[in-house]
Amino acid sequence: MKTDPSINQHHNAVLKEALTAINQYFLHARMLGNWGFRTLETQVYRASIQVMKEADRLVERVLFLEGLPNLQDLGKLLIGEDVPEILRSDLTMECRYRDALGAAISHCEEHTDFVSRHLLEELQEASEERIDWIETQLSLIEGVGLANYLESTI
């Protein structure tokens, strides 16, 4: 099914953020595991897998719309050097992803592509949940202190 090329451009913009997030989350998960923070490692690793599945759905949609998914365009990874910096970096990345989704949703709405809009809204909901989780972790660090927080994640 052929569509307005601008729809696939927006899908590819979202895909760029997703692919960047996958790599960042994966590396952060492995760093956290190496440092002994197994609970955090598991959560961040799951986020990387979840975003990978979301990217897969985007690729399928672009192909269905007779476009070419761009898997070569990646953004800059924001790699943290300690747990709070990792969480802040992941929050920044997730907010970029959510913003790209919002722009794509608006564009699909304007071009009456309601199926793409629905898909993107589902991805946006998952992104909001990840943002909420990261913000909760940062709030916990502030509330109980970094040492107590880190002890709870071993």
Side-chain angles (χ1 to χ4, degrees):
M1 179 180 144
K2 203 101 168 133
T3 188
D4 183 320
S6 67
I7 298 284
N8 279 331
Q9 288 172 348
H10 279 290
H11 283 39
N12 275 317
V14 172
L15 187 57
K16 173 184 177 177
E17 297 300 335
L19 294 172
T20 305
I22 292 164
N23 287 292
Q24 179 173 313
Y25 296 164
F26 181 77
L27 178 56
H28 279 164
R30 292 304 175 231
M31 290 168 63
L32 291 163
N34 185 56
W35 297 338
F37 303 118
R38 299 291 180 214
T39 304
L40 281 176
E41 175 190 22
T42 300
Q43 288 296 327
V44 176
Y45 180 76
R46 283 184 185 153
S48 75
I49 298 301
Q50 184 180 31
V51 177
M52 187 184 318
K53 290 177 181 179
E54 293 170 11
D56 182 44
R57 293 178 68 193
L58 285 165
V59 167
E60 287 180 334
R61 185 69 185 157
V62 171
L63 290 171
F64 177 77
L65 296 174
E66 297 183 28
L68 182 63
N70 186 348
L71 301 179
Q72 297 176 341
D73 191 15
L74 296 176
K76 181 178 179 352
L77 300 183
L78 308 172
I79 305 304
E81 295 181 14
D82 58 30
V83 171
E85 193 175 333
I86 282 174
L87 291 169
R88 286 191 299 271
S89 296
D90 288 354
L91 179 59
T92 300
M93 177 64 63
E94 197 64 51
C95 287
R96 284 185 3 203
Y97 182 48
R98 180 193 56 195
D99 293 346
L101 284 162
I105 289 167
S106 295
H107 189 77
C108 289
E109 178 79 29
E110 291 170 12
H111 287 80
T112 64
D113 181 351
F114 301 116
V115 175
S116 289
R117 182 195 67 188
H118 179 71
L119 166 65
L120 295 166
E121 286 172 340
E122 288 177 353
L123 303 183
Q124 187 179 46
E125 184 177 327
S127 177
E128 292 285 353
E129 289 173 6
R130 287 189 297 272
I131 288 170
D132 183 55
W133 182 83
I134 296 168
E135 288 175 339
T136 299
Q137 302 315 298
L138 290 169
S139 177
L140 284 170
I141 289 171
E142 280 185 33
V144 301
L146 181 59
N148 289 331
Y149 174 80
L150 293 177
E151 183 179 342
S152 73
T153 65
I154 294 175

